[in-house]
Amino acid sequence: MIMRKVIQIKVPEEIGVLMDSDPVLKNIVEKIVERDVIEYILTILTMDKLTSDSTLTEEEILEIDKKIKKIIRERIENEIRR
């Protein structure tokens, strides 16, 4: 049997009212949030594992990040110009 941990999240009051009044909507939202939280946590754990042996400094990582974003921006701009 798989054990589940129940967590609470905060949503705007209007959303809470809608979810309380519509069990189907509430179920859909719960499933989406559950899936997204699990996916996000697994992504973080995977990235931690992949980078655990890294010797890069935070400054080096930020510089690499900046270069990658610049290249992506240039590619998008080139596609837009076509």
Side-chain angles (χ1 to χ4, degrees):
M1 183 169 142
I2 297 176
M3 298 296 292
R4 298 278 184 183
K5 175 72 175 168
V6 176
I7 63 170
Q8 292 182 337
I9 63 166
K10 294 180 183 179
V11 296
E13 188 170 343
E14 298 82 7
I15 301 298
V17 169
L18 287 172
M19 290 173 56
D20 288 342
S21 67
D22 187 341
V24 174
L25 175 63
K26 182 177 181 179
N27 187 270
I28 291 169
V29 170
E30 287 173 348
K31 289 189 182 306
I32 290 170
V33 170
E34 179 182 1
R35 183 196 68 219
D36 287 353
V37 166
I38 290 170
E39 185 177 304
Y40 186 76
I41 291 172
L42 290 175
T43 299
I44 291 172
L45 292 172
T46 301
M47 298 308 286
D48 283 349
K49 183 70 174 165
L50 288 172
T51 59
S52 65
D53 295 331
S54 175
T55 58
L56 293 172
T57 65
E58 187 169 342
E59 292 79 25
E60 291 169 325
I61 292 170
L62 292 173
E63 186 61 33
I64 292 169
D65 176 66
K66 193 189 294 186
K67 288 178 182 181
I68 291 171
K69 287 177 181 173
K70 181 180 179 192
I71 291 168
I72 292 171
R73 187 183 70 245
E74 288 171 352
R75 286 184 182 174
I76 292 171
E77 288 172 353
N78 287 337
E79 286 295 319
I80 290 173
R81 288 188 200 119
R82 288 184 179 187

